[in-house]
Amino acid sequence: VLFPMKNILFAFSILVILCGASGLKAQTEFADTLSSAQLYELAEEAMENKGWERAREALKRWMKTEDPTLESWLNLGTAHLFLKDEKDAEKAFKEALDKDKSNMVALEGLCEVYLIRDKEKDMLKTLERIEKLTPESRKLTYYKALAADRFKLKQYAENYFWDTLEEMVRSDSQDT
């Protein structure tokens, strides 16, 4: 019996979809068979490849059996942020700061969270912390400009955001 080509393609498409769906489920159910070292390596690889959900799940499982490191908290916060889970990202970045109070990656991660979650007071406190650590930082200038625009801060001129970005671009051609 010969099947028309259209039916074969349809059946193949359904097979690919079904296999793909079960493959996606398997991607986050990998931890039971991996050692702690393999699990962390998998999380790092997922981070490099922007596989945020896979990285998050691998890190969470790794943290259940290992003492979380500064790097693991930063990676977890980043994964949460990219997955639009700002509440858990905030928790992870704060845990990272418990390990290293002057960690710029964690402070910058919190700036991103506070901008998204509309937390003006927390943003301003974080900017103060960054300013104490690196008063001449380009990132500080950038986040101040974002905060001025986002929260309509009265101490900054209305065009502060655009003027600051233009100045940053002119002063370093690598930003373009």
Side-chain angles (χ1 to χ4, degrees), residues 28-73:
T28 57
E29 295 181 7
F30 45 73
D32 295 341
T33 60
L34 298 176
S35 71
S36 179
Q38 290 171 321
L39 192 55
Y40 196 80
E41 187 178 320
L42 181 68
E44 287 181 322
E45 186 178 305
M47 291 290 295
E48 288 175 20
N49 293 311
K50 298 182 180 11
W52 307 119
E53 187 172 344
R54 191 170 197 189
R56 177 186 61 193
E57 294 308 313
L59 285 165
K60 286 167 102 176
R61 290 183 187 202
W62 181 84
M63 291 172 144
K64 287 180 182 177
T65 60
E66 301 294 328
D67 185 30
T69 63
L70 172 64
E71 181 183 22
S72 65
W73 284 118

Side-chain angles (χ1 to χ4, degrees), residues 78-140:
T78 301
H80 281 304
L81 197 55
F82 276 100
L83 291 168
K84 300 184 185 324
D85 183 1
E86 294 85 12
K87 187 175 180 180
D88 284 338
E90 181 177 359
K91 289 177 189 174
F93 289 130
K94 284 182 175 181
E95 289 287 346
L97 286 172
D98 285 346
K99 300 252 182 216
D100 177 4
K101 302 229 180 285
S102 61
N103 187 280
M104 288 301 296
V105 174
L107 290 168
E108 290 168 12
L110 284 175
C111 283
E112 296 289 340
V113 167
Y114 297 148
L115 286 166
I116 294 167
R117 295 188 73 201
D118 201 22
K119 293 179 118 182
E120 181 179 342
K121 288 180 183 178
D122 291 326
M123 179 69 172
L124 294 175
K125 287 178 188 175
T126 304
L127 289 173
E128 286 176 14
R129 287 178 73 175
I130 294 172
E131 191 162 21
K132 287 178 185 174
L133 296 169
T134 57
E136 302 298 320
S137 165
R138 289 177 60 79
K139 291 281 188 156
L140 174 63

